[in-house]
Amino acid sequence: MEVIQKEWGKIGDKPVISFTLANDKGIKITCLNYGGIITKIITPDNKGNYENIVIGFDKIEPYLNNLSYFGAIIGRVAGRIKDAMFDLNGKTYILNKNENNNHLHGGLKGFNRVFWEPEIVQKEKEIAIQLSYLSVNEEEGYPGNVEIKVTYSLNNNNEFSISYGAISDQDTLLSMTNHTYFNLSGNLKRDILNHVLKIKSDQFLELDEELIPTGVILDVTNTPFDLREGKLIKEGITSNHLQIKVANGGYDHPFILNTHNDEEIMLWDLESGRTLTIETDELGVVVYTGNQLKENDMYGVSLRKYLGICLETQGLPDAIHHPNFPYYILKPGEKYSSNTIYKFSVRG
Ligand code: G6D
């Protein structure tokens, strides 16, 4: 196993560096120090073809001003915070607004737009990149100086894990995720409509017209959100269910997971046989089927609706505004910890 490092160019005077984690089975995962962006994941299909299974680019420009967060670390808080404000310990915090009157995915300069300090970590059974960042007090309006470490590691069992750790010197909010768009067809040759998605979840969150949770927790039974036995994405998004329409003809919803470290999320492509199994210690997962992707030939990638699916393991979005949602305040002296494992395999 090895890590290959390459300089991609500069943003201002800062070098953008890519790191490719390669295991002994041919799996390769490339990420950047900028935004922790995952730009490529190479895995085999059922004919032994090694191809890329994410939406990504091989130059920095398309990542600079896109609102799709391709492959990026998301934070301080993933999802939307209504009215870009919250109360904590009797004080009101005003966050930067970057989507109408709301705060999305960490604001104007979220974690997807900062430089992370990289460190290569070679262990006996895995290779890793540890990315560190200090989010200073009042960054984007959040309280506290927060030291964050995100570790991407790959082993020879074709397991890729993302581990998040953080400490803060004040009470603050933190709920991070990764925003990779998966497409298991290989080199984006098809969209995700013929992927099957299976999620061990009995409940999902109702969204309003701004895609913010209303606070209502809905049962998946007899809805296109019942993914417990696996469902073709095409079948789900062609439903006339109101919540599919609210999300612009797709999924963009948080699911509350029934179980953890129990193959709780599975995605597979019928034609290539590629299978992605995700296990997490997070409470939920936001499923986003790329409903807002606009037709656009961007640096060799023909973007379009449903070209990729995000499976953003995280706490419940806008939880701070909903007493019935568990939410997490990171307190001084405590350690934020979140782990998600992505297992790549092939079925016949
Ligand atoms: C859209 O609502 C979706 C978000 O969930 C997604 O993260 C973003 O596009 C990139 O706003």
Side-chain angles (χ1 to χ4, degrees), residues 273-290:
R274 287 192 179 92
T275 300
L276 171 62
T277 304
I278 300 176
E279 297 185 344
T280 182
D281 56 11
E282 280 291 359
L283 176 62
V285 58
V286 169
V287 176
Y288 172 53
T289 46

Side-chain angles (χ1 to χ4, degrees), residues 14 32-36 73-77 105-106 108-119 129-142 144-151 163-168 174 176 330 336:
K14 291 188 175 174
L32 304 178
N33 60 332
Y34 179 71
I73 294 172
I74 300 293
R76 289 199 192 183
V77 175
H105 288 344
L108 294 168
K109 191 174 181 185
F111 291 172
N112 60 305
R113 289 197 167 149
V114 301
F115 277 88
W116 293 74
E117 185 58 39
E119 180 188 345
I129 290 287
Q130 180 177 278
L131 300 168
S132 303
Y133 177 67
L134 171 61
S135 177
V136 297
N137 185 40
E138 297 186 356
E139 186 171 88
E140 293 297 316
Y142 291 99
N145 292 292
V146 185
E147 293 174 46
I148 300 141
K149 289 191 188 308
V150 179
T151 304
S163 300
Y164 307 84
I167 55 173
S168 175
L174 190 65
M176 299 170 67
L330 178 57
Y336 173 93

